[in-house]
């Protein structure tokens, strides 16, 4: 990312990686340009789900033409059986972004995202309410994952960065 670039002028795509429901939000300045989720069917084979994620992320990038992409780094407790699936999805998301020429990614920790929009330790409801106020939306973004996508984009716009390679 160019240091001289004013982040308020940039189209920023925020992505909350997952396997079943990937939240995304696209912002520019104080405007929420788009938000939603990419979903994959739970009963589909893993390769089909990963292929769909790649295609949908590429289509989203072609449609929104982001300047910057921010991703929340997944955090897992010790006994999380979903961790492997989410990390596979994250790899495919990075691949899709690279295919679109978006290689200078911003990684954020969940705590940085929550601190940017609400407060450290904010719950899902508080994040949704804060995102609604920040972007002057008529109602809270739904589903929750889409609010997370907007919050991730906003945290990146505010200058949050994680020390992750």
């Amino acid at each position: 990312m160019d240091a001289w670039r004013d982040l308020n002028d940039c189209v920023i795509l925020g992505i909350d990686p997952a396997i079943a429901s990937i939240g995304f939000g696209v912002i520019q300045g104080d405007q929420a340009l788009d938000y939603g989720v990419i979903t994959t069917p739970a009963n589909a084979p893993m390769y089909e789900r990963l292929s769909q994620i790649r295609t949908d992320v590429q289509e989203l990038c072609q449609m929104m033409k982001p300047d910057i992409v921010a991703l929340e780094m997944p955090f897992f407790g010790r006994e999380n059986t979903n961790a492997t699936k989410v990390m596979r999805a994250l790899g495919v998301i990075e691949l899709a972004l690279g295919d679109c020429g978006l290689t200078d990614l911003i990684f954020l920790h969940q705590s940085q995202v929550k601190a940017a929009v609400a407060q450290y330790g904010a719950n899902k409801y508080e994040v949704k309410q804060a995102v609604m106020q920040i972007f002057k939306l008529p109602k809270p973004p739904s589903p929750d994952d889409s609010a997370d996508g907007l919050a991730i984009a906003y945290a990146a716009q505010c200058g949050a960065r994680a020390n992750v390679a």
Side-chain angles (χ1 to χ4, degrees):
M1 180 173 57
D2 300 324
W4 57 268
R5 193 184 307 203
D6 181 358
L7 295 180
N8 285 314
D9 293 335
C10 293
V11 174
I12 303 174
L13 168 60
I15 298 178
D16 185 15
I19 190 65
S21 181
I22 299 163
F24 70 87
V26 184
I27 66 170
Q28 184 174 26
D30 62 356
Q31 298 253 278
L33 304 177
D34 194 12
Y35 55 91
V37 293
I38 295 169
T39 59
T40 64
N43 59 346
M46 183 57 68
Y47 72 90
E48 286 181 9
R49 295 175 85 180
L50 295 172
S51 179
Q52 179 188 337
I53 290 168
R54 183 179 186 189
T55 299
D56 290 353
V57 168
Q58 288 172 331
E59 288 176 3
L60 178 62
C61 290
Q62 290 167 0
M63 185 173 63
M64 299 309 301
K65 300 189 183 342
D67 300 304
I68 297 169
V69 180
L71 297 116
E72 185 175 274
M73 287 303 299
F75 175 79
F76 304 105
R78 298 186 98 197
E79 305 269 338
N80 192 320
T81 58
N82 203 31
T84 302
K85 292 177 185 176
V86 173
M87 293 309 288
R88 290 162 74 184
L90 177 60
V92 168
I93 292 167
E94 287 189 60
L95 176 64
L97 294 170
D99 289 344
C100 295
L102 297 162
T103 58
D104 193 16
L105 307 176
I106 297 170
F107 292 95
L108 302 169
H109 296 295
Q110 185 180 61
S111 60
Q112 294 173 299
V113 174
K114 289 180 176 185
V117 297
Q119 61 186 357
Y120 181 78
N123 62 33
K124 288 274 191 189
Y125 174 80
E126 292 167 327
V127 169
K128 284 175 75 165
Q129 292 299 311
V131 166
M132 181 180 78
Q133 291 177 354
I134 290 166
F135 295 108
K136 298 173 182 62
L137 301 173
K139 60 184 181 181
S142 185
D144 291 349
D145 297 322
S146 65
D148 293 342
L150 287 170
I152 293 162
Y154 181 75
Q157 184 183 56
C158 292
R161 304 288 183 274
N163 188 16
V164 200

